Amino acid sequence: MAASDVTTAGPDDRRARARAFIERRHRIRLGEIVPWLLIAAVFFIFPDRTTFGTQVLIAIMFALSLDLILGYAGIVTLGHAAFFGIGAYTVAILSARLGWGEPISMLFAAAVLAGIGGLISGWFLLRYRGLTLLMLTLATAVLLQEFGNYRSDITGGYDGVPGMEIWKLLGVFENDLWGHNYYIYTAIVLFVVFIVVRHIIYSPFGQALVGIRENVRRMHAIGSPVHRRLVISYTIAAAIAGIAGALFAESTAYTTLGVFDFDNSAKVMVMLILGGTGRLYGAFAGATIYMILEDEFSKAFPEYWQFGIGLVLVLTVLFARRGLLGLFEDVAQYFRRSKS
Amino acid sequence: MTAVLQIEKLNRNFGALKVTRDVDLTLERGARRALIGPNGAGKTTLINLITGGLTPTSGRVLLNGEDITKTSQAERARRGIARTFQINQLFRGISVLENICLAIGERTGACNNLWRPAGASAGIIDEAFGYLESLRLADDALRLVRELPYGRQRLVEIAIALAQQPRVLLLDEPAAGVPSSESHLILDVVDSLDPEIAILIIEHDMDVVFRFARQITVLVAGAVFTEGTPDEIKHNPQVRAVYLGEEVHGEQAAGQGATHHG
């Protein structure tokens, strides 16, 4: 059977098949509806947990922004919380100090400011790679945090910004006690952000990012403006992280300088590795599982909950190098093979 | 004859070590020049200086008469200088076809697009497939590069460079690491490259050099030792002593070293 395939496959066949493969890569697959169905289902099945659900959605968005640079472009960073923090403080300062509390416009403001932060720091830092970059990104987040601490008259320091007043969504929907409206609001924003990221990943630009991840030397040799590509992707990721931070501040009406913590940068990386890097839905799986585990562990063992998270991460790195989604793929393939 | 690439008095030092010394070299349109010399003669360094991977300590590099000594590597690539690597530098985790598409995308500027799906550019895919067909890689188009045998990966190495539509092509030991039973495949490809492209090839196999090259430059200790046609080089007694008799020479040197240390 296979042999006859080879003999009948003319050169045009091969070309058509190759073309079809590339052309279909970006098409939306049926399975891609699953995460969105789950997000919708949670709303109806756990109506009393939507406040927590909102935080999960925000974590997904934060992890998704990291996936764009870490998973696709191969930029390692331990300072991604810097942009989450800029987003959160944009909302905090606008609503508590400047008397503007309109949620949607604040998201835009947060995206722009975090994006500018990404553009400036990225332009300087993305000449470096590996450990150096890791340290420099970490330092950037610490610098921002310390600057916030220095001007605690504005930021409220580690006690948080008092008196944030977030207006009603579209002038109608309040952030109700159960957080229903904010769950829907966050889900919609996540969907929009996801569509943007998905487009970028399947664009020629996204392919170039993968090229940089796979072999930066060759990218230079084929004439790719590597630095520019990295800075653009970093800026976009920063803007998205900023939106996530803004949603966090809006939904909780509360922010402290803790958002800039190293913990926060490390956590989002752990989420992504847990789910699987460079696979778009890794952020969804990783952030959700991390948040649920953290919630359950902290209830079950209030003092040792981090041990549980650590254990899960060790198991992932040992037995599921490509993250949980990678493991899932491998298992599915194993069963498909053993069937045939 | 029009010179596509000219190198004038090129020097490169690594600290006190002079790796490239006063090298002059010219490639005309359609040139077929081999760069030979003993290990450590600075052949790969010279390629890095031409492509812009390294900046020279002094001297000039000209492309079509324009000084590109200060131009970045990426810009030189866009202006038509392509290279292959002695050790594969490929995008191992993606398909062969996408490797080629990437080179085309960077050449045409398609990669500046963040929104339109990569798969929507039928022109790029078709062009990429064309290179794969001409290098007999069409059957491997959809396989991941890392799954290919080494010899076929060497062909992808060349295919990427061709997809850049270069005017100058620098081949750094294209058949390195390939078993001799398969290397003829690669050398056939090298033989049949577009006659318009100026090619500089680094190669250790003298049979290949004498078959392929119309001009040969011999590099010794970073400097041009001599240059000429294959016949001239073949019958040059000094080259025979310095390079073709390298093994004898090497053994003598080793022997001397041993007596010194002993």
Side-chain angles (χ1 to χ4, degrees):
Chain A
M1 173 83 185
S4 71
D5 268 359
V6 171
T7 47
T8 52
D12 290 335
D13 268 7
R14 291 185 309 205
R15 180 179 290 240
R17 233 186 302 150
R19 206 160 138 182
F21 169 77
I22 304 270
E23 280 173 354
R24 277 187 205 134
R25 267 170 42 96
H26 62 272
R27 299 236 179 108
I28 293 169
R29 283 170 290 278
L30 196 62
E32 291 189 72
I33 201 176
V34 171
W36 304 105
L37 285 179
L38 287 175
I39 287 171
V42 163
F43 183 79
F44 294 105
I45 300 171
F46 304 104
D48 54 337
R49 300 297 315 271
T50 42
T51 311
F52 176 67
T54 304
Q55 296 313 309
V56 174
L57 296 180
I58 291 169
I60 292 173
M61 196 184 306
F62 192 24
L64 187 64
S65 74
L66 184 66
D67 200 20
L68 183 63
I69 51 174
L70 176 71
Y72 285 88
I75 299 171
V76 287
T77 164
L78 273 178
H80 206 46
F83 307 117
F84 188 90
I86 292 177
Y89 269 88
T90 304
V91 168
I93 290 171
L94 276 174
S95 62
R97 310 276 182 213
L98 301 172
W100 179 263
E102 201 285 311
I104 295 170
S105 59
M106 285 199 291
L107 292 190
F108 280 101
V112 169
L113 289 176
I116 291 172
L119 181 68
I120 294 172
S121 64
W123 195 83
F124 284 107
L125 302 189
L126 291 169
R127 296 159 201 284
Y128 306 96
R129 290 182 78 82
L131 264 183
T132 319
L133 184 58
L134 214 60
M135 290 301 113
L136 288 171
T137 49
L138 176 62
T140 309
V142 174
L143 276 176
L144 276 174
Q145 189 173 37
E146 283 309 311
F147 181 73
N149 200 22
Y150 172 66
R151 292 311 303 267
S152 54
D153 53 322
I154 300 173
T155 62
Y158 288 92
D159 298 328
V161 187
M164 285 170 58
E165 265 189 54
I166 313 293
W167 301 350
K168 289 178 183 173
L169 273 168
L170 302 171
V172 184
F173 303 106
E174 206 152 0
N175 190 359
D176 53 302
L177 198 57
W178 298 276
H180 288 174
N181 291 338
Y182 260 72
Y183 185 84
I184 296 168
Y185 168 52
T186 308
I188 291 170
V189 176
L190 176 63
F191 184 72
V192 173
V193 164
F194 171 78
I195 294 294
V196 171
V197 173
R198 196 180 185 285
H199 260 276
I200 293 172
I201 278 161
Y202 287 112
S203 73
F205 176 84
Q207 294 292 295
L209 292 184
V210 171
I212 293 170
R213 179 192 74 199
E214 292 287 318
N215 195 331
V216 70
R217 262 183 97 183
R218 194 57 186 253
M219 286 305 276
H220 286 294
I222 64 173
S224 177
V226 171
H227 184 248
R228 191 172 84 209
R229 302 241 186 282
L230 289 177
V231 172
I232 291 173
S233 69
Y234 199 68
T235 304
I236 295 169
I240 295 172
I243 297 175
L247 282 168
F248 169 75
E250 286 179 5
S251 62
T252 55
Y254 177 70
T255 296
T256 77
L257 285 178
V259 287
F260 288 102
D261 274 349
F262 168 69
D263 274 16
N264 207 9
S265 294
K267 204 161 104 173
V268 68
M269 191 187 258
V270 170
M271 287 176 183
L272 191 61
I273 292 171
L274 199 61
T277 60
R279 37 178 61 249
L280 208 53
Y281 289 98
F284 288 74
T288 308
I289 289 164
Y290 184 99
M291 293 290 282
I292 290 173
L293 286 180
E294 188 185 68
D295 193 49
E296 294 298 325
F297 284 152
S298 61
K299 270 188 257 171
F301 329 97
E303 285 171 53
Y304 313 110
W305 64 270
Q306 283 178 321
F307 177 81
I309 297 276
L311 189 67
V312 171
L313 185 68
V314 168
L315 291 176
T316 312
V317 173
L318 283 180
F319 301 110
R321 273 288 172 82
R322 291 156 59 233
L324 294 171
L325 286 190
L327 183 71
F328 183 75
E329 256 177 25
D330 291 344
V331 170
Q333 199 169 20
Y334 176 80
F335 278 110
R336 222 176 296 147
R337 231 181 254 157
S338 62
K339 227 186 239 175
S340 62
Chain B
M1 284 279 233
T2 45
V4 183
L5 184 81
Q6 279 169 285
I7 297 170
E8 293 174 354
K9 291 258 169 271
L10 213 58
N11 282 283
R12 170 72 201 200
N13 307 338
F14 290 112
L17 186 68
K18 292 182 174 166
V19 192
T20 305
R21 306 175 196 221
D22 285 333
V23 172
D24 288 311
L25 194 135
T26 302
L27 290 184
E28 276 103 23
R29 200 152 63 101
R32 291 290 183 272
R33 184 178 286 272
L35 185 63
I36 65 172
N39 284 327
K43 300 185 295 289
T44 298
T45 302
L46 191 60
I47 288 206
N48 285 330
L49 289 169
I50 296 172
T51 56
L54 285 172
T55 39
T57 313
S58 67
R60 296 204 303 165
V61 182
L62 304 170
L63 182 66
N64 294 316
E66 268 180 83
D67 191 340
I68 56 164
T69 317
K70 297 265 186 308
T71 310
S72 75
Q73 187 182 4
E75 179 58 30
R76 291 185 202 196
R78 285 193 291 272
R79 290 209 210 162
I81 299 179
R83 70 168 296 182
T84 66
F85 292 82
Q86 189 179 353
I87 297 161
N88 285 344
Q89 300 290 340
L90 301 167
F91 311 110
R92 293 168 54 80
I94 59 179
S95 69
V96 173
L97 187 62
E98 284 166 299
N99 268 252
I100 314 304
C101 287
L102 204 46
I104 299 171
E106 289 289 4
R107 186 194 80 218
T108 59
C111 283
N112 292 318
N113 192 316
L114 280 84
W115 198 254
R116 197 163 172 262
S121 324
I124 288 182
I125 303 167
D126 272 344
E127 189 192 333
F129 205 81
Y131 295 116
L132 294 184
E133 276 178 338
S134 71
L135 298 195
R136 288 168 240 160
L137 279 167
D139 284 327
D140 298 320
L142 297 182
R143 288 176 69 189
L144 298 183
V145 166
R146 64 160 179 259
E147 292 171 352
L148 294 187
Y150 196 80
R152 302 200 69 74
Q153 289 189 17
R154 291 307 278 164
L155 288 173
V156 179
E157 187 73 31
I158 298 173
I160 291 175
L162 289 182
Q164 293 175 248
Q165 290 191 346
R167 283 182 282 186
V168 177
L169 177 58
L170 310 165
L171 299 169
D172 195 350
E173 297 192 43
V178 180
S180 53
S181 57
E182 288 172 32
S183 63
H184 69 275
L185 270 173
I186 293 165
L187 299 171
D188 285 351
V189 163
V190 172
D191 271 343
S192 61
L193 291 175
D194 181 353
E196 290 288 299
I197 305 176
I199 297 177
L200 181 71
I201 185 172
I202 295 179
E203 184 53 64
H204 280 299
D205 186 334
M206 283 305 131
D207 294 336
V208 174
V209 170
F210 289 133
R211 188 176 91 183
F212 171 81
R214 290 198 291 269
Q215 296 288 320
I216 297 175
T217 298
V218 184
L219 207 62
V220 176
V224 175
F225 185 75
T226 184
E227 54 180 19
T229 63
D231 262 354
E232 286 164 3
I233 297 298
K234 210 182 284 181
H235 298 112
N236 183 326
Q238 282 169 307
V239 174
R240 294 181 75 91
V242 168
Y243 182 63
L244 299 180
E246 187 197 355
E247 277 146 35
V248 181
H249 183 79
E251 272 165 22
Q252 279 169 354
Q256 277 165 10
T259 48
H260 278 297
H261 289 293

